Structure formats: C-alpha cells, structure tokens
Amino acid sequence: MRSLNRRAVLAAGTLAATFAPRAGAAATAVAPLRDGHASATPFLWGAATAGHQVEGNNVASDIWLLEQIKPTLFSEPSGDACDSFERWREDIEIVQSLNLNTYRFSVEWSRIEPAEGQVSLSALDHYRRMVLACREAGLAPIVTLSHFTSPRWFAAKGGWFHPDAPTVFARHAERVIRHLGESVSHVITFNEPNLQLLGEWGRTPDPAVRQTMTDMLAAAAKASGSDRFSLMNTGDAAAMVAPVLEAHRQARQAIKGVRPDLPVGMTLAIPDDQAVGPDSRIEEKRATVYAPFFVEARQDDFLGVQTYSRSLIGAEGPLPVPEGAERTQMGDEFYPQAIGASIRYAHAQTGRPILVTENGLATQDDTVRARFIPAATAAVLAARDEGVPVIGYLHWSLLDNFEWFSGYGPKFGLVSVDRATFKRTIKPSAQILARIARSDLSR
Ligand code: FCB
C-alpha cells in the first residue's frame, strides 16, 4: 500500500435555540472577555482531536468518498477510526484524568447536514451532549466547525468555489452555535485554511501524485453525479483564499449574532520559518502563506497557531532537513522549540491573543514524545512570561488516530488506541503533560 504524507501530496500542487449551561458550569476555566480581548483564566491546557480522524464511519463526508474511490491517494480508509462517535465520554474522562482543562474537537458538518437542507437534530444533540459533558468534567469545550472535511454534497457542488459557499457555511455555523449553546468556550471556524499554500510554496509538484489527485477527484465527481468535486486544500490554492476568508467572515458574524461573547478565530499552520543566508526567500513565503490570513485574523478574538517543526528557507526556497537531524515519523525535524518562535511571530503580525491549537509529533517511541512535551511547553511558557498573550496549549493529539493520507501509521497520540478493540491506553508522555499542566494551574 502506498503511504504518503500530506506534505508530499500538498507539494504535488493539486491539493494540495440557545441552550443554557448547567448551573455553575459556564464559569469553569474561561473568564469573560476583557477589553474586547479573549482572555482565559486559567491557562487552557488541553488536547485536540478532529471528528473525521477519531469518530469513525463519517460516511456522508467528502473525504470518506475519496478514501473509497479508485484511484485514491489515501493509504487506507478511515473506517471505524477510534470509534469516538460512541466512545466520546471515555475520551473526555481521559482528558479530565490528565489534569487538563480543555478539550478541542470538531463537529462533522456531514453528520449534521447529510443532504443539503436536511438537518439532523440527533447529530446536533450528540455534539451538545459532548459540550455539556466537557463542562461537567471541568473542561472548556473548544469547537472546530471545519477541520478539512465537508459534506459530500457540498464538494460535489464545487465546495468553497461555489458562489453560495460562504452563506451556506455561515448558516451551518449559526445552527451549530445556536444548538450547542452557551457552554462552548471558543469556536474555530477553519482549521489550517493555509495548509495547501504552505505545502506548495517553493516546491516542485510530483507529476505522478498530481495526476492521481486529478483522477481521484474526477472519479469522486462522477460517483456523485457531478462534473466537479472540490474540498478544502484541493485545487487552486491561491484562488481558494478569498472565498474561504469570506466564509470565515460570514460565519464569525453569524456566530456573534447568536453569542456576541463567544471568542471566534481560525487556526493556521505555521512552522518556525528560519532564514538561511542573505537572499532567503522567507519574506516572500510569509507574504504568500500567512499574510492574507493575518489580515483577517486581526478582526478575530484569537488566533490558533499549529506548529510541528521548523522550516529553513534559503535563496531557492525550502531547504531539506539538516543532515543528521533527528526526525519524526512524518519526516519532520524533531524541533520542539519551534512553537515559541511561531507564536511570537503570529502575535506580532496580528496583535491577537494566541491559542496553541495544535502542537505535537508523530513517533512510535513514546520516550521521544516525553522529551518533546517539556521542551515545547517550556517554549510556550517562556513566550507567555515575556508578555506574549498566549491563552493556551492544546496538544495534538489526544488519541492515535487517522492521519489523513497516511492512515493509521503515524502515532500522534497521548493515548494509544487498539485497532481491534478500541481500548485506550494512556502513554507515559501524557503523564508528563499532566504534570506540567497541574504545576502551572496550581501556581
Ligand atoms: C494538522 C492537522 C491535524 C493533524 C496534524 C498532524 O495539520 O490539522 O488534523 O493531521 O496536522
């Protein structure tokens, strides 16, 4: 079976009714907005997942179809994933048991609106139960509305390129927030809408991967009775920026119409970019990959930063990982301190409070994660001590899960999941994060 990581595929150039919280519950973890800034007391210590990667059987989504179609770039289908659609209570209990106070998860649009205009109240209730259970467990629920997947019908209409897409997404956002109610702590509209730009920047596409991508999307269109099939991070990356930012704006407005107090933001993939040599193209990269999103983020309550490693930028563009460097399972350089630089940069560019919405690494050797976590969190807390308004640190991921094109190979979890029984086993590295969180929260 082929195993591709997303960077390789993205570089190929083609991907590239308000509900009252339980008494006292809303007071947990998150303080009201101060001076228009999202501020959180105490610091948000948490773990993150995304619906498609953990729930299982997300059959009405665009990516589910792409996993099934021939040809496909996915190394294996997501199938039952971690069975979290059933086992979410256990997941929440694990987060709680680790002294964390925050759980980030996504709602799957294709479960909520499996056919256009047909809304599943049962699915909305499911996510409402999750939000309330988080509060009961003392966790701030952070909800992502779009974590790469969208409904299959949406992709078959042209996805984010359809002229109605921003309005349709804003309607979905409003519906979700109305139903999930006052207990939601923060909302993330889009997860990494800049990922394709990042993957493609300065790299030469692999023609074979590109061709398979084109064929996979054509097959998905045909299977859906359409002449198009377009989803987040596929197609013309530069052309997708404007409609996605418009969708973000409209969704933010719709959410504020329901809950003016609810902090809204997006997350961006931001490695620690480091210039090498006097002619480094770093500024060109920044202007292309982040700047348009930063402009929009200045209107948001917070910015989510997602960092996995550093990226060296020379005169020709991205440079390879330095020879001899320790690497993660995804081939990235082991470089836990990266997160310190990316949050400083993101804050300097936007002036917004920063939430580390993802940070972690893929490794089969948990002792490597056990080294990563103290170094990464120390970099975050050093930035905070310097006065950068960092409001939280969410580790990716709570569980070993479905890593998109790469399937179940890469292990990002604080917790392993038996692929045959779904039994969760907390790894020693998770206890390290638990100790760090506890000591910070009890300061
Ligand atoms: C990020 C994604 C997340 C996960 C991690 C490893 O880009 O947001 O879903 O796949 O990478």
Side-chain angles (χ1 to χ4, degrees):
M1 241 181 331
R2 293 177 70 182
S3 179
L4 279 169
N5 74 31
R6 269 174 306 146
R7 179 154 311 153
V9 178
L10 293 166
T14 32
L15 242 214
T18 311
F19 192 78
R22 288 173 65 93
T28 315
V30 182
L33 300 185
R34 245 188 278 134
D35 306 329
H37 288 249
S39 69
T41 313
F43 197 72
L44 299 168
W45 286 101
T49 59
H52 192 78
Q53 295 178 273
V54 300
E55 287 180 348
N57 300 300
N58 189 26
V59 298
S61 79
D62 46 13
I63 292 188
W64 177 274
L65 177 63
L66 297 183
E67 294 159 16
Q68 308 296 325
I69 213 87
K70 298 254 171 330
T72 183
L73 283 168
F74 286 83
S75 60
E76 57 184 323
S78 53
D80 283 326
C82 302
D83 197 29
S84 288
F85 199 74
E86 298 296 330
R87 292 169 200 259
W88 58 272
R89 283 186 191 280
E90 196 183 335
D91 296 342
I92 287 172
E93 279 164 20
I94 293 172
V95 178
Q96 183 189 29
S97 78
L98 293 173
N99 307 324
L100 303 174
N101 61 13
T102 307
Y103 184 39
R104 174 189 172 202
F105 58 93
S106 74
V107 296
E108 279 295 328
W109 184 3
S110 67
R111 291 186 190 270
I112 293 170
E113 194 175 358
E116 189 173 11
Q118 292 181 30
V119 176
S120 165
L121 290 173
S122 161
L124 284 168
D125 281 349
H126 168 87
Y127 292 118
R128 185 168 66 188
R129 281 192 292 273
M130 284 184 71
V131 164
L132 293 177
C134 282
R135 287 301 189 182
E136 280 172 33
L139 306 178
I142 298 189
V143 173
T144 311
L145 295 171
S146 165
H147 198 121
F148 300 150
T149 47
S150 49
R152 177 175 169 175
W153 59 260
F154 183 79
K157 280 179 67 173
W160 302 103
F161 290 118
H162 191 283
D164 295 341
T167 319
V168 170
F169 181 66
R171 196 169 61 212
H172 167 66
E174 179 174 348
R175 183 183 290 135
V176 169
I177 298 311
R178 231 178 243 296
H179 204 91
L180 266 50
E182 291 180 0
S183 289
V184 175
S185 158
H186 294 67
V187 178
I188 294 162
T189 55
F190 287 100
N191 179 71
E192 295 185 345
N194 70 328
L195 182 64
Q196 186 186 358
L197 286 170
L198 177 67
E200 290 179 1
W201 186 81
R203 293 195 172 92
T204 316
D206 173 334
V209 175
R210 182 175 219 159
Q211 188 59 49
T212 309
M213 175 67 77
T214 305
D215 295 346
M216 174 176 75
L217 294 172
K222 191 164 170 226
S224 307
S226 177
D227 61 353
R228 62 202 65 192
F229 201 84
S230 175
L231 55 153
M232 183 59 85
N233 294 320
T234 66
D236 182 340
M240 208 177 287
V241 175
V244 167
L245 286 178
E246 178 59 22
H248 170 75
R249 263 190 296 277
Q250 290 195 23
R252 182 180 59 212
Q253 204 182 355
I255 293 163
K256 295 289 185 182
V258 181
R259 273 198 55 195
D261 63 310
L262 181 57
V264 180
M266 65 178 115
T267 78
L268 295 175
I270 312 181
D272 171 7
D273 292 312
Q274 298 181 4
V276 176
D279 301 322
S280 166
R281 287 172 64 198
I282 189 167
E283 291 309 327
E284 183 194 322
K285 176 182 184 184
R286 289 173 161 172
T288 309
V289 176
Y290 318 116
F293 299 92
F294 285 158
V295 169
E296 194 54 43
R298 286 178 202 135
Q299 310 303 315
D300 291 341
D301 299 301
F302 68 93
L303 174 62
V305 170
Q306 315 201 150
T307 302
Y308 286 87
S309 188
R310 69 169 167 175
S311 180
L312 301 175
I313 318 287
E316 308 296 326
L319 296 169
V321 170
E323 212 166 311
E326 181 177 358
R327 285 171 179 256
T328 74
Q329 218 185 343
M330 302 299 279
D332 295 328
E333 182 179 358
F334 176 89
Y335 198 80
Q337 62 271 46
I339 186 69
S342 59
I343 57 184
R344 282 186 186 84
Y345 169 64
H347 174 67
Q349 294 297 312
T350 60
R352 297 288 75 201
I354 302 297
L355 176 59
V356 178
T357 37
E358 288 184 21
N359 177 249
L361 81 167
T363 178
Q364 280 177 316
D365 178 354
D366 192 55
T367 65
V368 178
R369 192 174 352 267
R371 279 193 284 126
F372 184 95
I373 290 173
T377 52
V380 172
L381 297 183
R384 188 184 70 179
D385 289 347
E386 266 170 38
V388 179
V390 194
I391 60 174
Y393 174 88
L394 313 181
H395 194 80
W396 183 274
S397 178
L398 179 66
L399 304 172
D400 284 341
N401 61 41
F402 179 70
E403 179 46 35
W404 310 109
F405 297 114
S406 311
Y408 290 100
K411 307 295 184 200
F412 278 95
L414 297 166
V415 175
S416 67
V417 179
D418 186 299
R419 300 280 343 122
T421 63
F422 308 115
K423 185 177 179 319
R424 277 91 165 116
T425 304
I426 296 174
K427 301 180 190 177
S429 62
Q431 303 296 359
I432 290 178
L433 180 61
R435 275 201 291 280
I436 292 169
R438 188 175 47 210
S439 107
D440 186 58
L441 291 170
S442 62
R443 280 193 325 158

